[in-house]
Amino acid sequence: MENQLFAVIDVETTGGGINGNRLTEICIVLLRGSVVLDKFTSLINPEEKIPHYITALTDIDNAMLEDAPKFHEVAKKVEELTRDAIFVAHNVNFDYNVIRNEFRELGFEYTRKKLCTVRLSRKLIPGLFSYSLGRLCDSINIPIVNRHRAEGDTDATVILFQRLLSLDDNFTVINSFLHARSRQATLPPHIDADLINELPESPGIYLFKDRQHKVIYAGKAINIKKRVVSHFYDRMSKEYQLGQETFHIDHEPTGNELIALLLEAECIRKYYPKFNRAQKRPGPVYQIVSYENQRGILQLAMEKTVKNREAVGIFYSRSLAQEKLEHLCREFSLCPKYCSLQSNVEECSHYSIVSCEGICSEQEEVEAYNNKVRKAIAALTGESSTFVIREKGRSFKEEGFVLVKGGQYQGFGFIDAETTISRFEDYEAFLKRQTATYHTNKILSNYLRKQGAPEVIFFNHESEATTDRPVARAKRNAAVMASQCTLSLFS
């Protein structure tokens, strides 16, 4: 390692996301071991305007860069200086990705081994209050001249790196950070690798938090550790920025994916994290509504909406709503025309539903037909929707469960695997109550529809488990449960 080349680098940029960040200044100091061999520093014309806040931070303005070389004019020098060298920087992923993207703009791939002096410092100089370059150098008496300029920051990083080399006997730490499979090179500088190693490889949720412990991202995973690490391998601008702002990671095992999904939705509702895009507002639903037409006939219709309206049923996809309408038509001998399954026809002529008894051709009495519609509505809204979903627990000694009462999601909980429960109320003693929302109801609806709900236990009005076969019952009631759960959630 004494003969290893290191290129200690710092860049200044135009700011913005990682993919839109253009160089404004670069400094490279080449070392062999701890001995300085060469230095290169230059302003760079980014070929775009510098934001005012960047000028305020660096004192680099548009006028200074007018006659500066463009990156393609210095690219060869940068490539030659860093060739065969390990790329070293404070928060290395930032500087490395900016330079790599500049090369990509020219049509070249730039690849170097990397070392981060933030992560090295956390390992070799533990216990400091902050590992930002300015505060770290103050803590260990390294002078910084011309802060927030490439040359000034690089000179300070060189001294810091030389000190780190002297603290690393036999270069054990540096070699471990350079290992091809090491997480050290990909983790954000503020995250301790031990924290990642302690994460479980089981289903659950995880929370990324900033310096002040504010939740900035909530996610669910079948394998918490694997999913958390995957964020840091992703080089997209959003994922990179998430990593830069993450200082703490919390997690909560759930034992199964369903409870993880529900808990993730609750965390997004509760914390409204800045990096979560989905599940922040209700989406559109498909409602089945009833109304009386000019002939006095009760009609059923389907409409897409995000607003609350009295409805027979609410569904999360058009296909589910249409499937239910077709089922009602067949079950109660309704007319496809008056169920909005056909339009612009005098008399119904549906390709598969032939159960109409003639209301559209005036061969059936209006009141007789309306009575059938009322029975269909009653059947749809009156089906049982009090049930428990049993799932895997956090260990083999327990089971997880999700509770829905009167069509309203109540929450989830865990019980001992050997506990025998026969009444609905017995579950409530173990319940962790949650808020029912559009998203939790959609999760439950999709679960019942896709999984077939083999572990669903339905309860009657006396809170006793029904003897109906749970699989068939669950499939028959999945869409209805979703509709009853969402009627009061469009506030």
Side-chain angles (χ1 to χ4, degrees):
M1 193 63 70
E2 292 89 346
N3 294 318
Q4 173 64 53
L5 288 174
F6 298 99
V8 182
I9 300 171
D10 186 78
V11 301
E12 303 301 330
T13 71
T14 57
I18 187 171
N19 293 326
N21 234 351
R22 300 302 304 271
L23 278 175
T24 59
E25 189 175 34
I26 186 171
C27 182
I28 303 172
V29 175
L30 188 65
L31 293 82
R32 185 177 297 280
S34 60
V35 178
V36 175
L37 301 179
D38 199 358
K39 176 191 279 191
F40 169 74
T41 185
S42 176
L43 291 168
I44 305 292
N45 185 339
E47 302 180 75
E48 61 183 54
K49 296 296 184 182
I50 308 296
H52 293 298
Y53 74 94
I54 293 294
T55 298
L57 178 68
T58 66
D59 289 329
I60 299 174
D61 57 28
N62 294 304
M64 291 172 59
L65 302 178
E66 283 182 2
D67 298 322
K70 298 179 176 63
F71 182 74
H72 71 85
E73 298 177 75
V74 301
K76 184 178 180 180
K77 180 69 173 179
V78 172
E79 195 281 327
E80 289 175 346
L81 268 179
T82 61
R83 188 187 303 164
D84 302 322
I86 295 172
F87 191 112
V88 180
H90 206 71
N91 190 4
V92 68
N93 286 332
F94 175 82
D95 303 80
Y96 181 82
N97 286 320
V98 170
I99 292 176
R100 183 176 64 176
N101 287 342
E102 291 283 0
F103 274 100
R104 283 179 176 173
E105 287 291 320
L106 301 178
F108 297 97
E109 196 62 36
Y110 181 84
T111 305
R112 299 289 187 271
K113 290 185 176 181
K114 298 176 293 182
L115 279 175
C116 179
T117 53
V118 177
R119 300 199 64 78
L120 283 171
S121 298
R122 289 173 67 91
K123 189 74 173 180
L124 295 170
I125 314 176
L128 299 182
F129 175 75
S130 172
Y131 288 87
S132 68
L133 184 61
R135 292 187 178 182
L136 174 58
C137 288
D138 285 344
S139 298
I140 59 177
N141 298 315
I142 294 176
I144 300 183
V145 179
N146 213 4
R147 181 78 171 102
H148 295 303
R149 291 296 298 272
E151 185 172 14
D153 288 352
T154 302
D155 288 343
T157 305
V158 167
I159 299 173
L160 171 62
F161 184 60
Q162 289 170 327
R163 191 166 301 183
L164 293 170
L165 286 171
S166 70
L167 294 173
D168 188 14
D169 294 336
N170 300 318
F171 308 105
T172 304
V173 173
I174 288 177
N175 281 324
S176 70
F177 278 39
L178 289 171
H179 192 277
R181 300 183 62 86
S182 172
R183 291 194 182 101
Q184 301 286 358
T186 57
L187 292 180
H190 321 295
I191 301 298
D192 193 327
D194 291 338
L195 179 65
I196 302 299
N197 292 331
E198 292 169 1
L199 292 173
E201 298 183 48
S202 59
I205 62 115
Y206 55 94
L207 303 176
F208 287 177
K209 298 182 176 181
D210 64 12
R211 191 191 298 270
Q212 288 75 39
H213 288 268
K214 180 180 178 180
V215 177
I216 58 175
Y217 184 81
K220 73 89 187 173
I222 297 175
N223 183 319
I224 294 175
K225 178 186 286 186
K226 184 177 179 180
R227 182 69 185 100
V228 166
V229 172
S230 73
H231 284 283
F232 307 133
Y233 279 103
D234 196 327
R235 292 295 94 201
M236 292 179 63
S237 181
K238 175 193 169 187
E239 295 286 359
Y240 173 80
Q241 194 59 41
L242 172 62
Q244 293 303 299
E245 296 187 30
T246 298
F247 283 75
H248 313 279
I249 301 174
D250 288 347
H251 69 277
E252 182 173 341
T254 62
N256 61 82
E257 186 179 16
L258 175 60
I259 294 180
L261 284 166
L262 294 167
L263 187 54
E264 176 195 38
E266 170 65 14
C267 288
I268 294 173
R269 182 199 67 81
K270 181 177 180 181
Y271 300 114
Y272 209 76
K274 64 182 288 187
F275 284 97
N276 284 97
R277 294 181 181 176
Q279 299 193 38
K280 286 191 172 181
R281 56 181 61 86
V285 294
Y286 292 87
Q287 295 183 326
I288 296 178
V289 297
S290 66
Y291 63 94
E292 187 176 297
N293 68 15
Q294 292 180 341
R295 287 183 56 196
I297 299 172
L298 285 178
Q299 289 195 216
L300 298 178
M302 178 174 59
E303 64 176 19
K304 183 179 179 181
T305 182
V306 293
K307 296 182 179 180
N308 187 15
R309 174 180 170 178
E310 186 176 350
V312 176
I314 300 177
F315 304 84
Y316 294 101
S317 73
R318 181 182 180 86
S319 61
L320 281 178
Q322 182 161 327
E323 181 182 333
K324 178 56 66 175
L325 276 173
E326 291 175 353
H327 169 76
L328 293 176
C329 271
R330 293 188 180 94
E331 186 83 5
F332 295 93
S333 299
L334 303 183
C335 176
K337 174 184 175 181
Y338 292 128
C339 289
S340 302
L341 297 173
Q342 281 190 291
S343 59
N344 300 320
V345 294
E346 291 294 329
E347 298 178 7
C348 69
S349 56
H350 196 275
Y351 71 96
S352 66
I353 300 174
V354 294
S355 55
C356 176
E357 296 179 336
I359 184 66
C360 55
S361 58
E362 300 185 8
Q363 297 178 29
E364 183 179 16
E365 294 293 331
V366 171
E367 189 55 31
Y369 180 81
N370 286 350
N371 283 335
K372 293 192 297 184
V373 175
R374 294 186 188 101
K375 289 179 181 179
I377 293 173
L380 182 58
T381 58
E383 294 181 23
S384 172
S385 59
T386 294
F387 59 91
V388 169
I389 301 175
R390 298 286 288 263
E391 268 283 356
K392 293 180 180 179
R394 296 163 296 187
S395 72
F396 70 93
K397 295 182 178 180
E398 69 176 14
E399 291 183 355
F401 69 88
V402 174
L403 205 84
V404 175
K405 184 176 183 180
Q408 192 81 357
Y409 168 58
Q410 302 293 305
F412 63 87
F414 299 93
I415 55 176
D416 190 286
E418 297 182 358
T419 300
T420 301
I421 293 180
S422 59
R423 293 181 59 83
F424 185 83
E425 286 78 7
D426 296 339
Y427 284 99
E428 295 183 307
F430 303 93
L431 183 67
K432 182 177 181 180
R433 293 201 174 272
Q434 301 288 290
T435 301
T437 67
Y438 166 90
H439 298 291
T440 57
N441 294 329
K442 185 175 182 180
I443 289 166
L444 289 170
S445 175
N446 289 339
Y447 176 88
L448 291 173
R449 179 169 55 87
K450 294 178 180 179
Q451 302 298 327
E455 299 300 330
V456 173
I457 303 171
F458 282 88
F459 290 83
N460 59 26
H461 295 299
E462 286 73 39
S463 297
E464 296 176 345
T466 65
T467 57
D468 214 359
R469 291 181 64 194
V471 174
R473 187 69 176 265
K475 287 182 177 179
R476 187 166 70 245
N477 288 285
V480 179
M481 181 281 297
S483 71
Q484 293 178 340
C485 283
T486 57
L487 286 175
S488 61
L489 297 176
F490 291 88
S491 57

